[in-house]
Amino acid sequence: SLWTWSRFYGISIETAAAPQAVRVIDGIAEDCVETRDEVYRVAFDSLAVPAPFLVEGAMERDPWKGLLERNRPGGARIVSPVYVAQGTEDDIVRPSVTADFVTGLCRQGTAVRFERLEGGGHMRAARISASNAITWMRDRFEGAKAPNDCPPF
């Protein structure tokens, strides 16, 4: 997020990351993660991030504090329907975190199609759910009402 937000919002990453960490973060940001081997490369590259890598107190003051609050998932109601797929064996994004996120969307009144991928891990979730996600999106473009897996609140 630091790398992306620094570019999107025009904020110097050096205001949040220690100088020795910036070079490593820039390198990691250039890594593409689509295969298991690429996951290992990012993990290996991440070992070079020095500890601590954040500037002390950077996340407790603006602009970073405000960006964390503004970009927190579920902070504002999403009007469009949302499709979420989560592998039940994901060891990178815990399924409980995604379930909590979906519950928050549902409580705000967002229509959510939540697909739990039995036995799916983090790297396989996109491949396992791709056909269903494409069908879901096509149906939205064709004007079909979005299915909603949310319970009544």
Side-chain angles (χ1 to χ4, degrees):
S1 296
L2 287 178
W3 188 88
T4 302
W5 291 354
S6 70
R7 277 142 185 85
F8 184 82
Y9 294 108
I11 302 165
S12 172
I13 195 170
E14 287 83 6
T15 62
Q20 64 272 26
V22 172
R23 179 185 54 79
V24 179
I25 292 168
D26 284 342
I28 293 168
E30 292 177 10
D31 289 340
C32 182
V33 182
E34 294 180 352
T35 67
R36 185 170 301 279
D37 289 342
E38 291 165 342
V39 169
Y40 293 129
R41 185 180 69 233
V42 169
F44 180 77
D45 290 350
S46 297
L47 294 173
V49 175
F53 75 94
L54 290 176
V55 171
E56 189 171 336
M59 299 300 123
E60 284 80 42
R61 62 181 176 269
D62 285 326
W64 297 102
K65 180 181 179 182
L67 288 174
L68 286 169
E69 291 168 4
R70 191 165 61 227
N71 287 280
R72 182 180 50 84
R77 183 174 183 273
I78 299 172
V79 179
S80 300
V82 175
Y83 176 90
V84 177
Q86 170 73 49
T88 60
E89 301 300 318
D90 192 327
D91 58 357
I92 295 174
V93 177
R94 290 187 319 269
S96 63
V97 170
T98 301
D100 289 347
F101 172 66
V102 167
T103 298
L105 291 174
C106 290
R107 286 187 189 280
Q108 292 176 337
T110 301
V112 180
R113 169 67 180 116
F114 185 23
E115 190 171 6
R116 291 174 182 85
L117 309 169
E118 285 301 320
H122 189 78
M123 293 308 297
R124 295 209 17 123
R127 287 186 179 95
I128 295 170
S129 65
S131 292
N132 289 345
I134 290 167
T135 299
W136 184 89
M137 286 183 270
R138 184 199 64 221
D139 291 347
R140 301 300 68 73
F141 284 117
E142 291 177 354
K145 182 175 167 125
N148 191 356
D149 295 329
C150 294
F153 286 99

